[in-house]
Amino acid sequence: MEIFITQMSVTPLFALPSHLEMTAYSDQEGMLCVSLLSKEPASRCPLCGSLAIRIHSRYLRKLGDLPSTGQPVRFLLTVRKFFCDVPTCPRKIFAERLASFVSPRARVTTRLFQLVQV
């Protein structure tokens, strides 16, 4: 018996923004948990707007999202903190902003928030 591997067009399951990468997923007690990372090499300081590349640290955000394949979805988003190297900027350390996907300090994705607001 021969097995042939073919390339297929795969529709993104979660329709993630292009700057986010899915690194892992698992099914935990009926909930689909998806780990995400930002692929952007740098981030802009929210106060002065300068581009920062030096990473200070990372932390994990847990975000609710729209259900997929009949299961609730939780994103485990690893967010980086950067140093702002502009001497006159009062913000020395800041977390990267992923505004198209999630608002600062939000516990749910933007698309889930918009659906609930209707």
Side-chain angles (χ1 to χ4, degrees), residues 18-55:
S18 62
H19 63 277
L20 290 178
E21 177 181 356
M22 183 172 66
T23 58
Y25 64 92
S26 64
D27 187 347
Q28 297 177 358
E29 299 174 8
M31 180 177 289
L32 192 56
C33 294
V34 181
S35 297
L36 302 175
L37 283 175
S38 174
K39 296 189 294 185
E40 296 293 323
S43 186
R44 295 211 174 269
C45 175
L47 286 184
C48 70
S50 68
L51 200 58
I53 57 170
R54 287 194 317 132
I55 297 173

Side-chain angles (χ1 to χ4, degrees), residues 63-84:
L63 307 170
D65 191 39
L66 298 172
S68 179
T69 64
Q71 288 184 300
V73 174
R74 164 139 311 154
F75 286 127
L76 305 173
L77 176 63
T78 301
V79 179
R80 298 170 296 177
K81 288 186 176 184
F82 288 87
F83 290 102
C84 182

Side-chain angles (χ1 to χ4, degrees), residues 7-19:
Q7 289 186 324
M8 297 184 334
S9 173
V10 178
T11 304
L13 187 59
F14 301 108
L16 296 172
S18 62
H19 63 277

